[in-house]
Amino acid sequence: MTATRSTAAEFTTSAPLRAPSFAVISGAQVQRALRGREQQIVDLVGATYRLHGAGETVNPPSYFLRFPDRPDSRIIALPASIGGPARVDGLKWISSVPRNVSAGLPRASAVVILNDPDTGYPFACLEASIVSATRTAASAALAADWLSRGRVRPTRVGFLGVGLIARYLHTFLAATGWSFDEIGVHDLSADAAAGFCGYLRGAGGGGRITVHDGAEQLIRASDLVIFATVATTPHVHDLAWFDHDPVVLHVSLRDLAPQILLACTNIVDDIEHCLKAGTSPHLAEQLAGNRDFLLGTLEDVMAERVTVPADRPVVFSPFGLGVLDLAVGKYVHDEVARSGELHVIDDFFHDLRRYG
């Protein structure tokens, strides 16, 4: 939902307004600020979901910049605002260029701009591909925990699509108490599958690693199924593959045929956001003509407003909320500032006198 925030009058301050300093935070600094703090970030994401559910955020629809001569590429703007103690406004600007992968570059690149709520001035620009991957992984790890309650905790995990997001997801699961007897891997690229297996072996933690030839084998062999692909249209159509009632983290949003979702328990991060842009939940709504197939949001589960049945597959489809990027970005900014390593750009704001 797009929540309604408190009035601006409630946030007035007696201090004189002045332009804040402006800092640039590199990817290396972002990574140092986040490394080893996976549980803290999962808790932060959970707290942000609760703020969102309580109406203390503004999260408009994402805006897609598409290109007629590059139909597979896009740049997405995610504006957002967070209230509460960590007030911040801002924007994530994230591009997706699939052909980067063949050149050895990550598909996605991004920045986050943080704005001061009192003046509107931006006060930081962060490299945000790491921020984005982190909040995605933290959200999925949070969902895996909550959606596994009331059923046997999964011990067999399967990763379908094994790029950067899959790596971050595994890192967050491992760092927040998950261990697996079996880890399944499937990717259309044999090189990608081999690279991910190398990462898994280096990460340690045990678990037999199996590379599956197809999606069916991986899904049937996994109690926790993670979709982290670049699919633009559904490619999994057989509900029988889910007869064992797994927990499914449908992170890439467009893998599952709508008929599958209509037969599963469905949890999303935000209903209005998920039911658009040709996502699998959007297609399911179009097919059903209603939204009855949605049980609720992850925040509904956390607040115990809904109970997830254990005798059906449960699918978590997160659209990805800009408020999560802001929450993680603000956390990084504050950690870097506390370390004394904030790179402030002197005189970034210039000609601030109205009449010279």
Side-chain angles (χ1 to χ4, degrees):
M1 66 181 172
T2 300
T4 302
R5 284 274 296 280
S6 303
T7 63
E10 295 176 351
F11 296 128
T12 56
T13 175
S14 58
L17 296 179
R18 56 184 179 181
S21 59
F22 185 81
V24 174
I25 300 176
S26 70
Q29 290 178 299
V30 172
Q31 195 164 64
R32 285 197 296 271
L34 294 172
R35 184 182 292 121
R37 296 173 179 173
E38 289 84 3
Q39 186 61 62
Q40 289 172 257
I41 301 304
V42 170
D43 293 342
L44 174 64
V45 164
T48 305
Y49 275 137
R50 289 188 173 95
L51 277 176
H52 187 61
E56 287 294 321
T57 67
V58 179
N59 203 108
S62 301
Y63 297 91
F64 288 72
L65 176 62
R66 299 188 183 276
F67 313 96
D69 60 330
R70 292 160 282 156
D72 64 337
S73 300
R74 65 182 187 267
I75 308 179
I76 311 173
L78 288 80
S81 176
I82 301 176
R87 295 172 57 218
V88 67
D89 306 329
L91 171 80
K92 181 174 76 172
W93 182 241
I94 182 166
S95 67
S96 173
V97 181
R99 64 178 175 275
N100 283 351
V101 176
S102 62
L105 289 171
R107 173 183 58 86
S109 58
V111 294
V112 161
I113 301 293
L114 301 178
N115 291 74
D116 170 46
D118 293 319
T119 64
Y121 275 72
F123 62 87
C125 175
L126 297 78
E127 194 287 327
S129 65
I130 296 170
V131 169
S132 189
T134 294
R135 65 86 150 143
T136 299
S139 168
L142 183 71
D145 177 32
W146 279 94
L147 300 182
S148 297
R149 299 182 185 189
R151 63 173 68 203
V152 176
R153 190 172 172 92
T155 59
R156 304 179 301 162
V157 64
F159 290 88
L160 205 156
V162 291
L164 180 140
I165 295 298
R167 172 164 62 86
Y168 270 76
L169 253 163
H170 177 268
T171 297
F172 266 77
L173 289 170
T176 54
W178 288 84
S179 61
F180 300 102
D181 299 330
E182 299 180 27
I183 303 175
V185 174
H186 173 66
D187 196 282
L188 295 179
S189 165
D191 289 342
F196 190 66
C197 289
Y199 153 74
L200 291 173
R201 286 188 287 269
R208 183 179 66 182
I209 301 169
T210 303
V211 177
H212 294 275
D213 294 332
E216 178 180 2
Q217 298 96 316
L218 179 137
I219 293 168
R220 289 186 181 275
S222 305
D223 307 312
L224 177 64
V225 180
I226 298 171
F227 286 94
T229 75
V230 294
T232 57
T233 57
H235 56 96
V236 175
H237 299 270
D238 194 336
L239 179 62
W241 298 0
F242 301 86
D243 281 347
H244 55 302
D245 301 329
V247 175
V248 180
L249 304 180
H250 188 208
V251 176
S252 38
L253 274 179
R254 294 171 175 85
D255 301 270
L256 298 176
Q259 294 88 344
I260 290 179
L261 293 192
L262 295 180
C264 294
T265 298
N266 290 279
I267 302 295
V268 296
D269 56 355
D270 183 286
I271 292 173
E272 296 301 328
H273 283 73
C274 280
L275 296 182
K276 60 182 59 175
T279 65
S280 294
H282 187 202
L283 298 179
E285 179 192 30
Q286 293 174 334
L287 180 62
N290 59 60
R291 299 178 172 185
D292 296 346
F293 65 96
L294 295 178
L295 181 62
T297 67
L298 181 57
E299 195 271 331
D300 287 329
V301 177
M302 294 163 58
E304 299 183 344
R305 287 189 291 271
V306 300
T307 301
V308 178
D311 58 351
R312 299 180 75 194
V314 56
V315 179
F316 176 57
S317 298
F319 194 83
L321 302 180
V323 291
L324 302 184
D325 297 292
L326 290 197
V328 175
K330 181 67 161 50
Y331 175 90
V332 169
H333 171 272
D334 293 349
E335 287 299 310
V336 174
R338 272 194 283 272
S339 74
E341 297 179 356
L342 204 59
H343 297 316
V344 175
I345 308 300
D346 293 331
D347 298 324
F348 183 83
F349 298 110
H350 189 60
D351 200 6
L352 296 175
R353 305 175 74 136
R354 188 171 187 184
Y355 298 112

